[in-house]
Amino acid sequence: MANHQGGGGGGAGGLIGHASLPPPIPAGDQTVWADAGPLIVASCSELQDGELIHAENFSLFAAMSALEIMDPKMDSGIENSGYHSIEEAIENNIAPVPLSLDSTLDVQCILDVIDHLFSCEATWHKGHSLAQTVFSCIYLLRIERTSPHSLLHSYCRIMRAICNALVSVVSDARTNEEEDLFAMAYALPLKGEGDEKCLSILNSVEETISRQLRACRAQSSRKKSLEDIEPLQRNPDLEEGYCRALLCRLRFRKHYFHVFMCMRKPHGKGLELARKHVALCLSELSYMSKSLEFLRSLPYGSFQDDIESSTTASGCKPIGFDASLNSTLSAPGPPRATHILSWKKAVGYFQKLLHDLDFVCSFNMEPVLEDVLHYVVQFQKLQPDLVARTHLQILLVQDGKLCGKDSFHDVISRALALPELTADKEFQKNEFIVQLGQLIVSLLKILCTNIAWQRRKLGKILQDWGVLSLQLEMAFKREFGDRLNVMVDENMCMKVSRRLLIWTDEHTYWIASRFLTLGFELELYSPNEYCMVYWYMYVVLMRLMEKMQMRIAINSETCKRKREKKKDHAKDPARDGSLSSSSLLIHCYICLCEGLAMMLAALHNESKAFQMRSPFNGEEERFSQHFDLLQKAHVPDHVSYYLFKESTVHARISGVVKHNYFREAQRITSSLKGSFAGDPNRMLELQQLEQVAEHNRIALNVINQVGADDPSLRVSFEFTHHPHFAMAVVKRS
Amino acid sequence: MQDVHSDSLVSGNSGGDGSPLVARLRKLLFRRMLVGVSDGRFFLGVFHCIDKQGNIILQDAVEYRSVRQSSSSPMEQRCLGLILIPARCRSSCHVECSIDEQMSLLSLNK
């Protein structure tokens, strides 16, 4: 008998065990808590090794996912700070207000808090939870406490308002599917009464400090100060430095807040102003960097262990932070080791973010869909983080319209070069047009996500595009079937459905080519697979160019007719010109892809290089693993592993040399320089393509001269010049 | 999934089942169990499984933690679902039962 001493009996209280402390949780109405400890010890000793006592509904598989208590990697409730709650920490003076009774130390400590919050914010943007980063600040968690301290209070308010604004914009746009920690705010006090006044509070604090700065300058130049202003702190030698350090930090916050407020204005109305604030933010950031020297020279505070990776400019430990206090709030995510970025890295992060936002703000709000797609791809080349990507997305798709202005049937009718359809109600209601509009919206949203997620999603939506183009084709074959025959005249109907089909196909191939090239950026292909990847790219790009050229032909036909009618040489020829140079650029890609695929195949055939000898999966399996999603969507139709084998099995180096694919690519790049002269990004790419073509042409000749079967020959492929087109490096050992 | 291990892992017909103690412990399955751990927290959940080492799995568990260090402090709670409490950090273990059955259920004398 080892249990059940009375503890109050019956309902609340219940019975308790003998040795252990009384359980503070009441048992049910007619029940008691009985100590099962001794029974467990005794029974377990009679169990066999590996034997379990469990219920019928037990599943080992499900049990694997049980949260292990007291495991620091799984149990976020594990006790590690010494304090059980924020209140207890505050009672123990972890986050005093003011931070110090000595006014100089107080300012120094506030600067450290501001800097650490800045590093925390960058860490949050980089994928850690808000609770473990910015909201590890006790001042932010209990913002009312800071109200007697106007400087600290104003900074905390605006910090919270910014976090709240970013969480809401990201969760609205849902660009964060994979980076889901960003928007997890659970029980954090993100909103508070009066936060909308944060700017005016900050402005008045800024005003005070700038007066203090003026006063101390006047004093130092021995002019009598006109106003009697109380200094920021007690040491007159440090007054100017402290005022400056604080001012740039406060002004950075102010402009940073403005950037996001301006960017959220509908129809991109605030973009111009946002760019101005971005520029101001960047200049304040450089003042902040300059303040580092001053702050490091001060004899206060206890320095962080590694001053170079310190999270504050001064290198001192900030007070008022404890990430473990609210670790329970980060559930259901397991607790993660959060390494806060160093202050210097955080400055670098914000510079990058602001440049990315500047790129977003430079967006031309009178867009043609082709230009938008090109723009987003260019933007993704900057490898922007979530915050910038989200802002681009909310700009692109607002209220179900492109840039909040043009409904997607307008966009489509313009893309089809049939602007007269815009007002046509039947066209707008057409099932295909509605579906196509939805597909474009999801395409634009997907293009703003991170590239890993983007690739996955692109592969998936290809099916939808494929199905739609199949349906269009069927409708078209039924001779402008019953779906589109509501249009004004049959001729028009035929025209629309034909153009719609071409346009849809073109974009399906565009998505496929983006899917394939992203594989290079994500390093998903091994050198042994380059051959099949370039071959597939070649096939896809060929179709893309074909469709593009069909569209150009139709457009120029329309233009000619219009010109004859109106004798008007307006915009269209210019648009056509850019379209044909885009198709020429694709031709250049095709030459490179074909050249690389054939070169790799020839090396494979002649020197037995780049062969797959994996014990796990053969070439055919790899082919289907890489291109499964494309094949399922029939992009393109009738392409199979056997076709790939058939077209590469006879490749020989001499044949590849004779074909001169790379020479052709070079020829195209030089002819394109004129038409891309105004676009620095495209000029840069042309240069890269030229270098790849030139290198590969020479490498090919060397291989041909030495003989591909020469055992001393070593060929490898590198991406030194272009992210998607490999460059052959030939060595002899 | 269940079938796979019901042969190998489940105590079903193997040795320990013959023991009256094991049978008694088995009777506690599906009851509410309150487990205290070494850092002062308590977990209340449905007793789901135990192994020879004394590691316990609770279903639909709720964590209780005191807001302050003092023993009379109020407690906050949150739901955790399926949890595994390793024997090494278990400091107490209680099961819920009616006043009548507690003697027969838990006594070790028989």
Side-chain angles (χ1 to χ4, degrees), chain A residues 583-593 665 668-669 672 689:
Chain A
S583 98
L584 206 56
L585 183 64
I586 290 176
H587 192 195
C588 176
Y589 294 157
I590 291 173
C591 294
L592 287 174
C593 286
I668 299 173
T669 53
L672 270 173
L689 292 171

Side-chain angles (χ1 to χ4, degrees), chain A residues 532 535-536 539 543 620 623-624 627 631 635-648:
Chain A
M532 60 170 87
W535 180 83
Y536 215 112
V539 177
R543 305 286 174 103
E620 190 174 351
F623 187 92
S624 68
F627 311 122
Q631 302 248 293
V635 178
D637 239 341
H638 312 301
V639 167
S640 62
Y641 174 71
Y642 299 101
L643 190 63
F644 160 64
K645 271 320 232 191
E646 214 177 274
S647 40
T648 52

Side-chain angles (χ1 to χ4, degrees), chain A residues 4 15 17 23 28 31-32 34-36 46-47 52-54 56 58 67 69 75 77 82 84-85 88 91, chain B residues 1-2 5 10-11 19 30 34 41 49-50 52 65 67-69 78 82 84 93-97 102 106:
Chain A
H4 75 269
L15 283 192
T31 55
V32 291
D35 189 1
E46 294 195 7
L47 283 177
L52 302 172
I53 296 178
H54 63 75
E56 304 85 66
F58 176 83
L67 196 83
I69 298 306
D75 182 7
H84 289 257
S85 64
E88 197 177 51
E91 280 159 25
Chain B
M1 203 59 219
Q2 230 163 308
H5 37 82
V10 173
S11 49
S19 150
F30 294 113
L34 182 68
R41 285 177 292 164
C49 176
I50 189 167
K52 183 175 171 60
R65 53 189 297 138
V67 177
R68 273 155 221 269
Q69 263 155 347
R78 57 177 185 145
L82 192 67
L84 165 71
C93 182
H94 294 78
V95 284
E96 191 179 47
C97 54
Q102 62 174 322
L106 295 176

Side-chain angles (χ1 to χ4, degrees), chain A residues 1-4 9-10 15-18 20-71 75-79 82-85 87-88 91-92 327-331, chain B residues 1-2 5-6 8-12 14-17 19-22 24-26 28-30 32-34 37-39 41-44 47-54 56-57 59 63-70 75-76 78 80 82-86 88-99 102-103 105-109:
Chain A
M1 289 293 279
N3 50 334
H4 75 269
L15 283 192
I16 47 161
H18 71 126
S20 49
L21 289 167
I25 296 107
D29 255 357
Q30 293 302 315
T31 55
V32 291
W33 288 122
D35 189 1
L39 175 64
I40 286 175
V41 173
S43 317
C44 285
S45 64
E46 294 195 7
L47 283 177
Q48 308 261 319
D49 277 342
E51 200 180 340
L52 302 172
I53 296 178
H54 63 75
E56 304 85 66
N57 62 349
F58 176 83
S59 135
L60 189 64
F61 186 69
M64 296 289 202
S65 64
L67 196 83
E68 188 175 334
I69 298 306
M70 297 301 272
D71 176 350
D75 182 7
S76 62
I78 199 165
E79 190 62 64
Y83 299 111
H84 289 257
S85 64
E87 275 60 40
E88 197 177 51
E91 280 159 25
N92 283 280
S327 60
T328 48
L329 297 182
S330 65
Chain B
M1 203 59 219
Q2 230 163 308
H5 37 82
S6 51
S8 52
L9 287 162
V10 173
S11 49
S14 50
D17 211 34
S19 150
L21 282 172
V22 172
R24 218 174 303 152
L25 187 54
R26 183 183 299 283
L28 299 184
L29 288 168
F30 294 113
R32 293 215 303 163
M33 187 177 257
L34 182 68
V37 298
S38 45
D39 72 351
R41 285 177 292 164
F42 285 91
F43 298 93
L44 176 61
F47 180 35
H48 188 57
C49 176
I50 189 167
D51 65 3
K52 183 175 171 60
Q53 286 71 32
I56 294 175
I57 296 181
Q59 264 182 328
E63 177 196 68
Y64 289 85
R65 53 189 297 138
S66 49
V67 177
R68 273 155 221 269
Q69 263 155 347
S70 64
M75 290 203 141
E76 61 180 16
R78 57 177 185 145
L80 293 180
L82 192 67
I83 59 167
L84 165 71
I85 303 165
R88 69 184 144 73
C89 56
R90 191 181 74 223
S91 61
S92 69
C93 182
H94 294 78
V95 284
E96 191 179 47
C97 54
S98 68
I99 302 161
Q102 62 174 322
M103 304 277 263
L105 205 65
L106 295 176
S107 73
L108 297 177
N109 290 352

